[in-house]
Amino acid sequence: MAKTVTTSTMETSDCVEETKCVLAGQDEIKCDEEDLSPDIKEWSKHQVRKWALQLNKTIAEIMFQQDICGQSLMLLDTTDLKEMGVTFGPAKLLIQARDEVVRLKKEEPTSSKYQPGRPCKPYPFNRYHDTYRYIESSILDTIESGPSNLIEPCHEYKAFINTPVGNKMSKFIFEVIRFAAACMNSRTNGTIHFGIGDMPDFTHGQVLGVVVEDKEAYAKELKSATERYFEYKHKDAAQMCIKHPRFVQVLNKNMTSSDKCVIEVDIVPDSTICEENIYHTFNSGTTKSKKKEKQFYVRDGGSSSNLYLDTTSGKDVEKNYKKFIDSVAHLSQRRKTEEEKHLNVIKSSTQGSRLSQIITGGTLTLDKSNFEQYVIVTNKSHLRQFESLGFLVELNPTAVLDFDPESAKDGLLCHFKQQSTVNVHSPAQYKITEAVEDIANKLKLTRNTSWVFCNGSIEDEAPSDIGQWLMDKGASVRDVISFLCRKDVLPNKRFLVIFLLLSTVSDIMDPLVETFTTFWQELRGTEQIICICDNEKAFTSWKDLIQARCGINITGRCIYELGFAEVNGTVLSLFSKNRRANRFLPCGGGSKVLLKKKEERSLNTLDVLCMNQCEGGNENKIVIEENFYRGGKVSWWNFYLSEEPGSTPFIKRDKFDFIMNTIIPDLSSLRKACALFNLLHAPGCGGTTLAMHVLWALRDRFRCAVLKDSNADFAEVAHQVVKLLMYDHKEQLPRVPVVLMIDDFDEKEKVFDLQQLIEKECIKKDIQSKSAQVILLNCMRSESSELTETTEDTVFIGNNLSEKEQKLFEEKLVEIEKTHKNAETFYGFMIMKKNFKTEYVQGVVRNTLKSFSENQRHAQLLAVLVLLNVYCKGASLSISLCEEFLGLQPKPVCGTVKVEEGFGKFSTLITSCLVEGKVVFKAIKMIHSSIAQHCLQELTTTHNVSKASIADLLLTTKELYESTQGKDKLLQDVHHILVKRYHSAEEESQFSPLIQEIAKETPGMEEIVLTNASKRFEKDAVISQLLARYYYLKKKDFSEAKQWAQKAKDLSKDNSYMADTSAQVNKHELKKGIANCKNETIGPDKLDRFLKMAQAAIDGFKETQNLAKKESVYRLQVKTDNCAFNTSGCLGEIQVGVLVIEILEKTPVFSSNNVHHDIMSQVLSGYVKLQDVEKSDQWHNKHRSYYIVLRQFEDVLCNLKGSMKKNFDFLENFYVNLGSRFGMKDSRDQITQNELLRCFKVYADLFCKNGKNKTMLKLDQARQFLEMQKAATYCGILNFLSNDISTEMVEKIARQYDFVCAPDHKPTVTEKINLIYVNVVLSRIKLESSLVKPYKKLLDLLHQIQRGHVPLSDYLSLHFIAVVLLWPQQHHTDGRVLQKCISQIRTSYHTEMKGVYKGKWPTVHFFLGKKPCGYERLVTLREIKKCITAGPEQFASMWENGKIWKEKKVEELLCRVRGEVKNHLILADTCVPDQKVEVNPFFRSQVSGHADGSKVSFFIGFSIKGPLALDIN
């Protein structure tokens, strides 16, 4: 019993807890009640449950099961609830909550949702498929009325909300029959509305709505009632005149759906049905004894009157009845006349042609519309409309401003996103808080359709009522419109705003009216606006509202006589067959698969080339060919048109067949996910055209695509490439590979970044790589016109045609001259046809620029374009910018002046192009790189226009940087020509080519250009850094340089490169000061000043090192950032150390003789203190002032050697153990290493030579020798495998280590480990050397070290050599120790190198050879290189693509190991049965898609990251 009580108590407690939240604040109840009727009695049982769920879920379900509606809820008390199973506590709370709702409604009548709303139109008469809906509390603008012209319907309103549930059907039938008979007798159309309020309880015509649970029952009962109520002879006529009930949905005030509707019945007493009949009705008695009463109803004003009353014998009534009967014939004739008159009003519409004209801007084709982009503004849609809105998908709108808060649930967005890709946004995302193009880029504004929810329902934002919307959301939607109408976002005058009125707008406060007004103001008129609705009533309402709000008549910009089906057909007919055709991709076995439009648009970074590309198109062949031959970029149409009958085939370059027949098949066979092929070309020699020609020829066998934007997010590109690869393949293997063309990348590093991300994406998707899945065709400009070395994965196209190619160009010219009248201006073609002859280009340029005048606007713009094209690949100027600058006003109609014409005679030197950047826009560029080069030369020599003056014009002309499309791209290009430097292996360029050539052409002007650049890029740290570099390198103005360096640091506080520049200023100031001293002795004052500079420089370089480490750690978290570690801080500190040594050597304290030199070495090593030196100095009085200065910097001086050694060791470790990806060499790395060698020589001369110190122990001398030979670290010793050290020197080093490691010399752990390294390296250089210890003895030494205490700093070096030596072999196996070492080396690698290995690959120092045991089984990279007769570039290429492992000599040299895949790693078999060793695949993609247990074979490489599996088969 006690247990039962406890349970009951717990249940009651739970109920109380559930109910407490309701009473916590009555505001919540009030808010939730807004969706319910103010009168509880009207609530259905569903609404009662909805209300009760806010209180207690259990009680709500109990009440629903008991059929508690609003009326019964008002009668409930606690006893009733208890009988239903509700405990006392929750029952009391429920009753209290109910009473509180009643009280609140009484106290706050103005909060009632039945407060009158705004006027609206009734649902279109005798229509059932319109999408019209009522908004709760709005007021129908038609009063209850009698007959007017008989065609215009009369109306009658019934609130129908106070009718008891049991009486609703009988009430409905009675009122409909009465109203119907009255309309039929009066011969007038009419509509009776149920759910529309009337006086005195409501405003006349107020929309209330009623809940109808069984709509079918109303239709059935009405049909049945006509048979009962009308005379038998008239029942068929009645059923034809009384239309089926229409249930018009009622929306909440905030435009969300409710469960209410208005029931409407239309009466249409057609003259052919009613003729001259009269219609009596009878009440239906419930029993046989009850007599049926006869009625005769007619419309009498706003009500229906019965003229036939049996119970009344009044003569007036009888007189009225007879009089009406006599008038029936006249009424019938009048009805017939009005019907005929109404039919004559209907006229044939000409709005189809108006729609075609407006939506295309006059071109009458959407393939070449004057409008480049479309913006849609729309409201509440209806399911019935969707089948007629297919044209929206084809238009591919840039943005949709959607005012339907339920669009994503079951509205237009739900329908649209099934067929196309969308990005859903809130208006707040369009607020300008950063650079405009950055916002557009984040929104992907010109990539996918941006769907903007303008009335809530995104990010938990509630929708607003019409009356509240302007206050709540108007400002944010105005921000959206202002953003879209900016000239730097969408093309000026070249986008069309389509107001698609899917619901009738009947309120001047409607958001669409405000939206129209804002667009009208922003666009300064209606030329870029069209309004589409599907009926005249909706149009009339809209037109009147706009007239009232804006004072303009928009009839001429409206389409309203066409249904949406007709609009849909008209718009779709404006697309060519090609635009609307299905597009196909190749699939396995020669089959093809449909590429759905939605999927293609989701690949928005790629231009996908389909199998049936261009088929069914109607492009103008003449225009397309002219654009290409003049110098425009080749398009797929050029290849398609060249294959048409009667055309000469597209010119095949000599390398075309080699690429198709050799390169592509070779790459396809590679066992890696993403293979790379480089097509290098001299600028303007047809490299891009050749690459696209290859893709065109491959489109039936490969899935081909072109990367649209070289600056796109590579992670997203990789995702889309793999999506294209896997599209509709399902489980079918092998897949059709993807060929992705990438064009105009600045650096190969970016290409490798993309390749690596594609590999990672393939791994993520578990894609097998038995052959190449993706082939990257990298089309890249080469600065050189001649390629020095051809490699396995590289083809070079130079500016020199072969005889065969020249012949093909001659033949093509004959065809061109037959079909084109202006072939002489086809400079792009003619330059190649003339075999790139300089004389031809010079002649064209000189002749074209004859009339050049620097004062003319179009000449200035050409000069700017020329300068940009010469110094920045792919530079262009947006058409919008050119129009603004040249004063050309575009118009959204046919006949707009082309921007090329604004350039006058210079128009033949430019061509249009499409730029895929942060936003997509049209632009102009120079037709050919050689044209641009010679134009710049001609402007300088003939017209006396210097590069400096053009650069100055470019930087100081404000109009170029105003809000136009392409502004960000222009700023990027300008930034590029100022900053971008080019490096060679011999030297590092100090400035960009433009700055260097300005300094050479007009000395001193470069300073003005850079100063103006700092004003144009005021907040740009890199430009401030550039100024700092200019002042300390060129002008030697270190004070000015420091100011700019500090500004750069302030603008980019955590950037290691800015910190390095600041330190470099101090270093160069110190260097300049020392140089000025020449051979003079440095006095105390200068010493003090120099050491202060050195101290500042060292501190700056240490800051650079710390920031570089932070950057590198951060990059580990950013997958797409593969920038290498910034080593400049380490090198800079070493360089300052060398300068300090040079300073001290010029002071009398350390400069006299070798003894003093050794003393300086001791001081800088920290072995001797300055005060001890001073005491022993016989000239200490004379040198006192020096010692005073030196003691101020004693901390820096005493740690100098340690700091330099630390940085030397770090950089040696960095460059020896980490290599550039795939063997790529960076020229800047070589420059750094050359400088390191210079500095190390100075270091070694001071710290590693004995001088005349004969008292130095032999052991110390040996250690100094080892350090001087860079053999004091394992990295230095490993480096002997790749540098040119002599065998004799390695043997000498081995002897020294034997001496140092003698037991009585107490060698350090590091020295013992180094001894092992020296023996292994010497064995690979000279195996027969007597100094190579027996392998067994070396293993014993290794085990001895492992058993002892090993410092953390030696973990990595020990574990690496242990893995190499302990790899299982006959007679020497220790699997347990080896596996432990492999685990520890991975941990050590990540611990020691994680701050620096980003963007690098671990160097493979040894490979496992075929020899069974000992040193001979270790193969070095040097031995592999000997097997291949290839230069460095080709060897790197073979290494990267894996072809090196197919070389027979290499296969004979290396041991192929077997193993099995497990958890994306490999368990390698060994010579010991049952002993497997875990190794990492060098390319993880080679094991992706392989199930655990899959058998593989591979070569083994040893790196400091652990053993690696190479060439996995």
Side-chain angles (χ1 to χ4, degrees), residues 135-358:
I135 299 173
E136 193 165 27
S137 291
S138 56
I139 309 298
L140 294 188
D141 62 1
T142 304
I143 62 171
E144 291 181 296
S145 59
S148 56
N149 64 357
L150 305 185
I151 300 301
E152 190 67 33
C154 59
H155 295 269
E156 189 165 313
Y157 302 145
K158 303 295 176 185
F160 209 50
I161 60 174
N162 296 320
T163 308
V165 175
N167 298 340
K168 280 188 179 291
M169 185 62 77
S170 59
K171 169 76 170 171
F172 169 77
I173 295 300
F174 172 74
E175 295 293 352
V176 171
I177 294 297
R178 191 165 70 103
F179 179 77
C183 289
M184 292 166 68
N185 285 324
S186 300
R187 297 301 192 269
T188 181
N189 291 342
T191 304
I192 184 168
H193 310 257
F194 295 86
I196 302 294
D198 199 357
M199 301 289 282
D201 297 328
F202 306 98
T203 302
H204 185 73
Q206 185 172 352
V207 176
L208 307 174
V210 293
V211 176
V212 179
E213 295 184 7
D214 187 356
K215 295 176 182 176
E216 193 65 31
Y218 279 82
K220 287 181 179 178
E221 189 61 31
L222 181 59
K223 184 176 185 298
S224 175
T226 57
E227 297 177 359
R228 299 198 309 271
Y229 283 91
F230 282 87
E231 294 176 89
Y232 181 79
K233 62 181 178 181
H234 293 316
K235 71 173 186 178
D236 289 340
Q239 287 179 353
M240 285 188 281
C241 292
I242 303 172
K243 302 304 179 182
H244 288 288
R246 179 172 58 239
F247 301 90
V248 184
Q249 186 183 6
V250 175
L251 302 176
N252 295 317
K253 289 182 181 180
N254 60 12
M255 301 301 288
T256 57
S257 301
S258 76
D259 56 356
K260 294 181 181 180
C261 66
V262 171
I263 311 172
E264 297 181 344
V265 179
D266 290 334
I267 314 300
V268 187
D270 195 280
S271 61
T272 59
I273 297 171
C274 297
E275 296 179 335
E276 294 183 5
N277 298 316
I278 59 172
Y279 300 96
H280 294 93
T281 57
F282 301 87
N283 64 350
S284 183
T286 56
T287 64
K288 291 182 180 180
S289 59
K290 186 170 182 180
K291 184 183 177 182
K292 290 187 177 181
E293 295 179 356
K294 192 174 184 180
Q295 297 100 21
F296 185 78
Y297 289 107
V298 295
R299 287 303 289 172
D300 183 13
S303 62
S304 299
S305 298
N306 181 7
L307 298 186
Y308 192 89
L309 295 171
D310 287 342
T311 57
T312 306
S313 57
K315 292 182 179 179
D316 288 342
V317 174
E318 188 177 349
K319 183 180 177 182
N320 289 339
Y321 173 69
K322 289 181 178 179
K323 182 179 179 182
F324 191 87
I325 296 297
D326 293 340
S327 69
V328 167
H330 174 71
L331 270 176
S332 298
Q333 183 58 44
R334 185 182 162 204
R335 170 78 192 193
K336 186 176 181 181
T337 303
E338 290 294 335
E339 285 175 354
E340 290 172 355
K341 189 189 298 181
H342 180 68
L343 288 171
N344 291 333
V345 172
I346 300 174
K347 59 180 183 289
S348 59
S349 174
T350 58
Q351 290 206 323
S353 58
R354 180 193 289 180
L355 173 61
S356 301
Q357 189 78 15
I358 293 176

Side-chain angles (χ1 to χ4, degrees), residues 763-823:
I763 293 166
K764 191 194 300 184
K765 300 294 184 185
D766 221 20
I767 294 172
Q768 286 190 20
S769 300
K770 291 182 179 179
S771 60
Q773 301 296 297
V774 178
I775 296 174
L776 282 183
L777 199 172
N778 174 35
C779 185
M780 180 180 275
R781 293 190 191 187
S782 171
E783 296 307 313
S784 169
S785 59
E786 295 294 333
L787 186 69
T788 54
E789 185 181 351
T790 301
T791 65
E792 294 284 330
D793 60 0
T794 301
V795 167
F796 179 75
I797 305 293
N799 53 6
N800 188 21
L801 298 179
S802 68
E803 288 185 11
K804 178 184 174 184
E805 288 174 329
Q806 287 184 51
K807 186 177 179 182
L808 291 172
F809 273 90
E810 291 284 355
E811 292 172 358
K812 195 70 176 178
L813 179 60
V814 173
E815 181 193 344
I816 290 172
E817 288 177 336
K818 287 178 182 177
T819 54
H820 298 276
K821 296 178 182 178
N822 52 344

Side-chain angles (χ1 to χ4, degrees), residues 54 68 228 265 274 398 443 452 725 844 854 875 977 992 1006 1058 1193 1278 1431 1458:
Q54 304 164 35
I68 303 297
R228 299 198 309 271
V265 179
C274 297
T398 300
L443 296 170
V452 189
L725 171 70
V844 167
E854 197 175 1
I977 66 175
S992 71
E1006 74 278 7
M1058 302 307 149
F1193 300 95
L1278 282 174
R1458 295 183 180 276

Side-chain angles (χ1 to χ4, degrees), residues 1400-1415:
K1400 296 282 186 178
W1401 286 58
T1403 302
V1404 178
H1405 295 296
F1406 301 103
F1407 301 87
L1408 188 66
K1410 282 189 173 177
K1411 300 289 183 179
C1413 58
Y1415 295 114

Side-chain angles (χ1 to χ4, degrees), residues 121 505 533 535-546 560:
K121 299 286 183 187
V505 179
C533 50
N535 65 81
E536 193 162 353
K537 281 192 175 181
F539 156 70
T540 303
S541 175
W542 175 250
K543 180 194 71 171
D544 292 345
L545 292 171
I546 299 304
Y560 55 90

Side-chain angles (χ1 to χ4, degrees), residues 47 238 418 580 593 636 840 851 872 881 1029 1053 1152 1190 1334:
Q47 290 173 306
Q418 293 171 15
R580 291 186 286 127
V593 61
W636 303 127
Y840 173 75
S851 60
C872 179
L881 184 152
R1029 295 184 68 258
K1053 287 183 169 56
S1152 299
L1190 290 170

Side-chain angles (χ1 to χ4, degrees), residues 377 478 481-482 485 493 495 497 499 512-531 542 545-554 557:
V377 182
R478 275 196 296 273
I481 297 168
S482 296
C485 293
K493 302 288 186 182
F495 69 94
V497 182
F499 277 80
L512 258 71
V513 176
E514 185 65 25
T515 302
F516 178 92
T517 305
T518 308
F519 268 116
W520 174 62
Q521 292 166 342
E522 290 281 348
L523 299 174
R524 300 177 183 275
T526 60
E527 279 187 321
Q528 288 173 254
I529 298 175
I530 183 175
C531 307
W542 175 250
L545 292 171
I546 299 304
Q547 178 81 46
R549 181 73 173 83
C550 304
I552 58 172
N553 186 338
I554 57 163
R557 305 299 297 179

